[in-house]
Amino acid sequence: MLMVCSLLLFVEVAQADWPEFRGPQGDGHAPQTNVGLPLHCDETNHVTWKTPIPHKGWSTPLVMNGQIWLTTATDDGHELYAIGLDEKTGKIQVNEKVFEVEHPEPLGNGASMNSYATPSALLENGKVYVHFGSAGTACLDTKTGKTIWKRSDLPCRHYRGPSSSPVSYENLIILTMDGADLQYVVALNKQTGKTVWKTNRSVAWNDENVPGPMAKDGDLRKAHSTPLVIRDGTQAQLISTGAKAAYGYDPASGRELWRVQYADWSVAPRPLYDQGLAFIVTGLTKKEMWALKVDGKGDVSETAVVWKLKTHVGKYASPILVDDLIYTAAEESFITCLEAKTGQTIWTERVGGKYAASPIYADGRLYFCDQEGTTTILKPGRKLEVLATNHLPDGFMASPSVSGKALLLRTRTSLYRVED
């Protein structure tokens, strides 16, 4: 039986093809109605349209009601845009400058892997919520592109740019601000943009006397992960990974339920959840994947961890779960398949490519898009079976999405609609 972990998630799901980062349930799974997706494509075959996207951004293209939305920013970070396209034609209908930043912090050596428009937006009927970290968050009318409300007063020094995408819970939009100076989670009212709750990270940093520039500059306190709203039993939880710890929060109030600590930072992948276990990546340097029980209270670092995977864990791309198996795509070209319940590795294969975009599961296939522009399509299972490899120029940093029988693929320069 296909154990789609999204069945256990507790989220407000709009009737949409792809309303948020990682799809309708936040787990990379397309709805089961999305069948007939293309197996093969290139620059000239099965491309319905190709639209150059101005400036630079790694946000996922989102789809609802015949519109596609994404964000972009000038290379220097001074101007931040929301872009809306017609789904059928690819024509840009809205190109709205939402924020102008007088003194954006340079991305520094993070410029190769990040942009000023990396967080994906969030779509609901008639509204799109765009987020650029501390530079600003706004709600726009999807028909006109005009701003309903905006906030630019939530401080956070992202240091190498923002990455965490907003998530939805009932009437709240929840933002993660894990910077070098401040680290907190905050919930805004969807109608007004006003703060409903704000919770600071509770872990003790203990890095004041750690030698080296990383500790001094705040690297050891920042993170980039997007949280996941789940339901464990009768309780909704926000599973959130930050520097040095993963947390379970009450999404209605922001109250911390539990915490698991580890010695890592700059975590990027989004958590997964299935049958009482949350699956997290601990960070950038050790890159371990942990399975955690989510029914604890307080600091459960010694009791919540069920298993750990320590090799070939993706440090940028989020993992994906299909039929009790987790797949993780490492930046150094390996894909690993492991059992969700035990953490036992089933196979690890070098398939080529380096992965920043998160994979998706659609029409019975796994789609992995690498930084060089190659999409590797696998059949899920206990042995590696490559169904096809395709290539588009300019490479993938943004995660793909699905609309009907089409794939929406955003390269570094363009957005493609690909279908048979």
Side-chain angles (χ1 to χ4, degrees):
M1 178 180 179
L2 178 65
M3 304 190 70
V4 182
C5 61
S6 61
L7 294 177
L8 299 177
L9 297 179
F10 185 73
V11 294
E12 179 183 290
V13 180
Q15 295 301 312
D17 287 322
W18 213 265
E20 65 168 276
F21 174 58
R22 304 227 71 204
Q25 308 291 351
D27 59 1
H29 285 241
Q32 294 183 8
T33 54
N34 293 114
V35 296
L37 295 175
L39 185 60
H40 301 284
C41 76
D42 57 34
E43 184 74 7
T44 57
N45 293 301
H46 303 298
V47 174
T48 303
W49 49 255
K50 171 187 176 182
T51 301
I53 302 298
H55 309 306
K56 182 180 180 180
W58 305 157
S59 61
T60 297
L62 308 181
V63 190
M64 181 180 285
N65 297 331
Q67 282 186 310
I68 299 171
W69 286 88
L70 45 76
T71 57
T72 191
T74 53
D75 283 353
D76 58 14
H78 284 288
E79 298 178 349
L80 311 175
Y81 293 85
I83 292 183
L85 303 92
D86 181 87
E87 181 187 357
K88 292 183 178 180
T89 66
K91 181 180 179 181
I92 294 179
Q93 299 172 318
V94 176
N95 189 352
E96 184 76 11
K97 183 166 68 174
V98 186
F99 294 100
E100 191 160 352
V101 183
E102 186 174 358
H103 300 294
E105 184 175 21
L107 298 177
N109 63 6
S112 63
M113 293 303 299
N114 209 1
S115 73
Y116 289 100
T118 294
S120 299
L122 182 68
L123 263 178
E124 294 184 345
N125 281 318
K127 295 179 180 178
V128 57
Y129 304 90
V130 294
H131 177 60
F132 302 92
S134 59
T137 305
C139 174
L140 278 61
D141 185 299
T142 55
K143 292 183 179 179
T144 64
K146 300 305 179 183
T147 300
I148 298 173
W149 57 258
K150 65 169 60 178
R151 293 283 300 270
S152 56
D153 59 344
L154 296 171
C156 178
R157 184 184 172 224
H158 298 287
Y159 188 29
R160 306 190 197 282
S163 300
S164 178
S165 299
V167 300
S168 173
Y169 178 75
E170 295 183 348
N171 194 42
L172 303 177
I173 177 172
I174 300 175
L175 311 176
T176 304
M177 312 291 269
D178 280 323
D181 56 347
L182 300 171
Q183 307 81 28
Y184 60 93
V185 184
V186 61
L188 309 182
N189 181 285
K190 288 181 180 178
Q191 277 67 49
T192 65
K194 294 183 178 179
T195 299
V196 176
W197 57 256
K198 176 178 175 290
T199 301
N200 292 327
R201 299 295 202 189
S202 64
V203 70
W205 299 114
N206 298 323
D207 60 0
E208 291 81 1
N209 298 317
V210 175
M214 291 187 69
K216 179 181 178 181
D217 295 340
D219 258 318
L220 308 188
R221 300 188 180 191
K222 64 180 179 62
H224 303 279
S225 178
T226 299
L228 182 71
V229 180
I230 65 143
R231 179 174 286 280
D232 180 61
T234 60
Q235 183 171 29
Q237 291 192 34
L238 181 77
I239 308 297
S240 177
T241 52
K244 294 193 68 174
Y247 306 81
Y249 297 108
D250 177 354
S253 66
R255 179 173 61 93
E256 183 182 311
L257 305 174
W258 54 263
R259 181 179 74 245
V260 172
Q261 297 186 192
Y262 41 74
D264 212 346
W265 52 87
S266 286
V267 54
R270 191 175 193 179
L272 292 172
Y273 173 79
D274 187 48
Q275 300 187 77
L277 293 180
F279 306 97
I280 68 159
V281 175
T282 59
L284 185 70
T285 56
K286 293 186 177 180
K287 298 176 293 182
E288 296 181 357
M289 185 185 294
W290 290 12
L292 309 176
K293 293 182 289 186
V294 299
D295 56 356
K297 301 294 180 184
D299 187 342
V300 292
S301 302
E302 301 299 322
T303 59
V305 181
V306 177
W307 55 255
K308 300 178 182 180
L309 175 70
K310 299 184 177 182
T311 58
H312 300 311
V313 175
K315 63 182 178 181
Y316 300 122
S318 302
I320 193 163
L321 170 64
V322 179
D323 288 340
D324 284 334
L325 298 177
I326 297 175
Y327 303 84
T328 176
E331 203 265 350
E332 62 271 16
S333 82
F334 285 92
I335 295 179
T336 296
C337 170
L338 63 150
E339 288 185 346
K341 292 181 180 179
T342 66
Q344 178 184 352
T345 297
I346 305 302
W347 52 261
T348 297
E349 300 287 350
R350 187 189 293 273
V351 297
K354 296 182 178 181
Y355 295 92
S358 297
I360 62 171
Y361 174 70
D363 201 6
R365 305 163 184 158
L366 289 164
Y367 291 78
F368 292 85
C369 301
D370 73 20
Q371 296 178 44
E372 300 303 315
T374 297
T375 298
T376 301
I377 305 173
L378 305 183
K379 181 180 180 180
R382 289 178 169 265
K383 65 176 182 178
L384 175 64
E385 185 174 346
V386 179
L387 300 176
T389 56
N390 305 312
H391 186 80
L392 292 174
D394 301 326
F396 299 106
M397 301 298 290
S399 300
S401 55
V402 177
S403 175
K405 296 182 178 181
L407 291 170
L408 297 175
L409 303 176
R410 183 181 187 178
T411 67
R412 287 183 174 87
T413 59
S414 301
L415 179 64
Y416 293 77
R417 180 182 176 93
V418 177
E419 57 191 328
D420 285 336

